[in-house]
């Protein structure tokens, strides 16, 4: 039965998300063309001042078009998260919920299907967005002399948590960032599920507003707790006399704690959702 639930969840999500990501891929193609034309404008048009002026105008126009195209591509991630959460809420806490919650399945199977479908689409979205960013990065450098350190996905992954290795290993930094992004993505999804489930249980009206408010409140508490733990651990290591490797040790410790913390929060939210669906949800 879990397989059937997962199939229907994926089918419902794909009706919206497949066209969305096709559009994102089309925008990536536009961005690649803009990036390559902008690069070529700076390389080819030289000589007279008139030609230089044309080159500059073309480069600026292509840069603006590329920026708007990339904004559209990155917006696909936000849209993906919204669609996944909307599917979760609609399928469980609207009229559809009367059917879903009376199926001969357990609350655990329902939640597992939602989580697997959501995580799979988040993975697909990440591959599309990172692949698009990589293609645009290569096009903007004329497809020559490009290394991983020069690409947008590399800096995106470093920003997500891959700076623990500094500049010593580009691939290690990318891998570390990917793990951080994966754990944070799983936590974000489960926190949203838990918040909207709590909103449906606690609020008699305005359940969506309650879910949004709870999500913001829970996220704030998690962020604050994470910051306090990271600062405490990093400070303890930095002042613990570990020598020249203190900063590296602190970065590795806080990164590892971030991964573990994200997974623990995700697991707790999953357990809470299963409990509430099984014992507390009342659609009347």
């Amino acid at each position: 039965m879990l397989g059937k639930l997962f199939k229907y969840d994926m089918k419902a999500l794909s009706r919206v998300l497949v066209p969305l990501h096709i559009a994102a891929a089309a925008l990536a193609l536009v961005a690649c063309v803009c990036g390559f034309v902008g690069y070529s404008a700076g390389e080819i048009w030289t000589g007279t001042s008139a030609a230089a002026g044309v080159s500059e105008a073309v480069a600026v126009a292509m840069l603006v078009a590329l920026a708007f195209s990339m904004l559209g591509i990155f917006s696909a991630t936000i849209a993906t998260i919204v669609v996944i959460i909307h599917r979760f809420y609609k399928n469980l806490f609207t009229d559809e919920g009367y059917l879903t919650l009376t199926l001969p399945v357990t609350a655990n199977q329902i939640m597992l299907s939602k989580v697997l479908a959501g995580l799979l689409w988040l993975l697909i979205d990440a591959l599309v967005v990172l692949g698009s960013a990589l293609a645009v990065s290569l096009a903007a450098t004329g497809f020559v002399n490009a290394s991983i350190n020069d690409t947008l996905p590399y800096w995106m992954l470093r920003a997500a948590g891959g700076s623990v290795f500094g500049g010593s290993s580009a691939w290690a930094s990318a891998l570390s960032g990917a793990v951080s992004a994966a754990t944070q993505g799983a936590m974000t999804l489960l926190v949203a599920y838990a918040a909207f489930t709590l909103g449906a249980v606690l609020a008699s009206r305005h359940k969506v507003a309650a879910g949004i408010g709870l999500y913001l409140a829970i996220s704030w508490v998690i962020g604050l707790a994470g910051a306090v733990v990271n600062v405490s651990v990093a400070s303890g290591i930095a002042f613990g006399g570990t020598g020249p490797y203190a900063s590296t040790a602190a970065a590795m410790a806080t990164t590892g704690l971030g991964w573990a913390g994200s997974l623990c929060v995700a697991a707790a939210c999953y357990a809470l959702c299963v409990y509430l669906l099984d014992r507390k949800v009342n659609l009347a």
Side-chain angles (χ1 to χ4, degrees):
M1 197 62 183
L2 176 60
K4 291 183 178 180
L5 286 173
F6 177 72
K7 174 184 175 181
Y8 288 127
D9 281 331
M10 285 299 296
K11 185 177 180 180
L13 290 173
S14 298
R15 279 197 294 266
V16 178
L17 295 179
V18 167
L20 174 68
H21 286 84
I22 291 175
L27 278 176
L29 180 60
V30 172
C32 285
V33 172
C34 293
F36 186 74
V37 171
Y39 171 83
S40 300
E43 293 293 318
I44 296 176
W45 285 313
T46 56
T48 66
S49 58
V54 171
S55 173
E56 182 179 0
V58 170
V60 170
M62 292 300 101
L63 178 61
V64 172
L66 186 150
F68 278 104
S69 298
M70 292 304 299
L71 180 62
I73 294 169
F74 293 137
S75 297
T77 298
I78 299 175
T80 298
I81 295 173
V82 171
V83 169
I84 292 171
I85 296 172
H86 177 263
R87 164 66 184 171
F88 175 81
Y89 181 85
K90 181 182 178 183
N91 189 236
L92 293 178
F93 306 119
T94 64
D95 291 343
E96 284 188 26
Y98 289 102
L99 174 61
T100 303
L101 296 178
T102 55
L103 291 172
V105 293
T106 65
N108 183 61
Q109 288 176 314
I110 293 174
M111 274 305 302
L112 187 57
S113 173
K114 304 296 183 193
V115 170
L116 291 176
L119 290 179
L120 180 55
W121 261 112
L122 287 179
L123 175 61
I124 294 171
D125 174 75
L127 293 176
V128 171
V129 171
L130 289 175
S132 299
L134 176 62
V136 173
S137 298
L138 296 176
T141 57
F143 299 100
V144 294
N145 300 325
S147 66
I148 182 176
N149 306 65
D150 302 319
T151 61
L152 186 56
Y154 170 73
W155 292 104
M156 291 167 63
L157 291 173
R158 275 182 61 89
S163 58
V164 61
F165 293 99
S168 60
S169 174
W171 288 107
S173 294
L175 179 59
S176 173
V179 174
S180 294
T183 55
Q184 291 168 8
M187 181 186 71
T188 298
L189 182 66
L190 268 300
V191 167
Y193 282 178
F196 279 87
T197 303
L198 273 172
V201 170
L202 298 177
S204 58
R205 294 187 300 174
H206 309 298
K207 298 178 186 292
V208 173
I212 294 173
L214 284 167
Y215 174 77
L216 294 175
I218 295 171
S219 297
W220 181 81
V221 171
I222 292 171
L224 179 62
V228 170
V229 171
N230 285 342
V231 170
S232 299
V233 171
S235 299
I237 294 176
F239 292 103
T242 53
Y245 301 104
S247 60
T248 301
M252 294 181 68
T254 54
T255 299
L257 284 173
W259 296 349
S262 295
L263 292 177
C264 288
V265 170
C269 289
Y270 180 90
L272 177 62
C273 288
V274 171
Y275 171 76
L276 292 175
L277 287 178
D278 192 40
R279 303 289 180 87
K280 299 294 183 180
V281 171
N282 182 7
L283 297 180

